[in-house]
């Protein structure tokens, strides 16, 4: 069974996903990277040249093609955020929502080297960034909260990672 890792931008889905995959001896897939590879364009280029709607449609099509590879799959922050997408995700695996507080997300996003089109205009303005995060998280929580497991994504040391893997194994048995 696949394990999907969802959560806001900067919540650590890719880095935790990679660690979890290696801990559980599973393959790791990053949906943003997979889409970037398929299209031969960066996320920024896709948004600029094709538009956000094109990217969102592509995310849905990508999700429909996901096979059961017993993989850990980190999704883009917006990927689960439609009724159609969250239903596809839940039908294809166990879902883990990484919860991180707004101040921690803002700090991580301001320091991150990745270019994220949705925040580029104000990533250097801490107040605007926090306001945006609060608003978007409030909009998106209805989807994120449908996860099977909600996990505190701040300071995940190896003990905490082990606990997450145990929670996943337990949930998978039900
Ligand atoms: C987005 C999150 C990004 C990427 C795109 C849009 C979003 O992924 O898919 O920039 O809408 O939250 P990360 O969550 O990996 O940054």
């Amino acid at each position: 069974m696949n394990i999907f890792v969802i959560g806001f931008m900067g919540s650590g889905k890719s880095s935790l996903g990679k660690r979890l995959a290696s801990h559980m001896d599973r393959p790791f897939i990053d949906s943003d990277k997979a889409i970037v590879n398929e299209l031969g364009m960066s996320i920024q280029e896709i948004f600029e040249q094709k538009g956000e709607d094109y990217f969102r449609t592509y995310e849905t099509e990508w999700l429909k093609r996901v096979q059961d590879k017993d993989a850990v799959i980190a999704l883009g922050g917006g990927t689960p955020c439609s009724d159609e997408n969250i239903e596809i995700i839940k039908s294809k695996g166990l879902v883990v929502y990484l919860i991180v507080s707004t101040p921690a997300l803002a700090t991580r996003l301001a320091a991150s080297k990745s270019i994220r089109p949705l925040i580029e205009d104000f990533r250097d303005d801490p107040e605007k960034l926090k306001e945006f995060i609060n608003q978007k998280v409030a909009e998106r929580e209805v989807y994120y909260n449908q996860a099977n497991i909600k996990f505190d994504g701040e300071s995940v040391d190896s003990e905490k990672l082990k606990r997450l893997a145990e929670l996943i194994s337990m949930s998978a048995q039900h």
Side-chain angles (χ1 to χ4, degrees):
M1 191 183 49
N2 289 319
I3 299 161
F4 291 96
V5 184
I6 66 171
F8 203 72
M9 291 178 265
S11 59
K13 301 175 295 284
S14 299
S15 64
L16 179 123
K18 258 182 229 159
R19 289 169 63 202
L20 189 64
S22 119
H23 180 79
M24 299 183 84
D25 204 15
R26 286 165 175 256
F28 174 71
I29 298 167
D30 182 304
S31 69
D32 276 345
K33 281 220 171 85
I35 291 173
V36 162
N37 284 340
E38 286 182 13
L39 292 175
M41 299 164 96
S42 67
I43 298 282
Q44 186 189 18
E45 286 167 344
I46 301 168
F47 270 67
E48 277 173 11
Q49 295 173 28
K50 303 267 191 186
E52 182 174 351
D53 286 353
Y54 176 91
F55 178 69
R56 298 303 175 196
T57 305
Y58 204 95
E59 285 182 304
T60 305
E61 295 310 314
W62 187 86
L63 281 175
K64 287 183 184 163
R65 286 191 269 119
V66 168
Q67 293 173 348
D68 189 1
K69 294 220 163 103
D70 281 335
V72 175
I73 305 175
L75 297 177
T79 314
C81 301
S82 73
D83 290 336
E84 182 179 16
N85 289 9
I86 192 70
E87 288 308 324
I88 299 172
I89 294 164
K90 289 192 293 184
S91 74
K92 292 191 177 205
L94 193 92
V95 189
V96 178
Y97 170 26
L98 275 192
I99 301 175
V100 174
S101 70
T102 296
L105 287 173
T107 306
R108 289 183 191 186
L109 287 171
S112 164
K113 288 194 181 74
S114 307
I115 296 179
R116 293 178 166 95
L118 296 182
I119 58 165
E120 279 320 298
D121 291 348
F122 48 84
R123 64 187 283 161
D124 297 330
D125 181 336
E127 285 318 307
K128 263 203 183 153
L129 187 55
K130 276 188 240 169
E131 203 181 299
F132 172 83
I133 295 168
N134 280 334
Q135 187 204 326
K136 271 279 176 228
V137 169
E139 269 171 43
R140 290 178 168 185
E141 251 169 4
V142 60
Y143 304 105
Y144 292 156
N145 279 331
Q146 294 183 46
N148 304 91
I149 296 173
K150 290 161 202 160
F151 196 75
D152 174 10
E154 275 172 60
S155 335
V156 182
D157 59 15
S158 52
E159 269 313 299
K160 226 167 133 179
L161 187 79
K162 225 170 102 189
R163 233 181 308 135
L164 176 59
E166 284 163 7
L167 272 175
I168 290 170
S169 303
M170 268 159 38
S171 302
Q173 284 161 17
H174 291 114

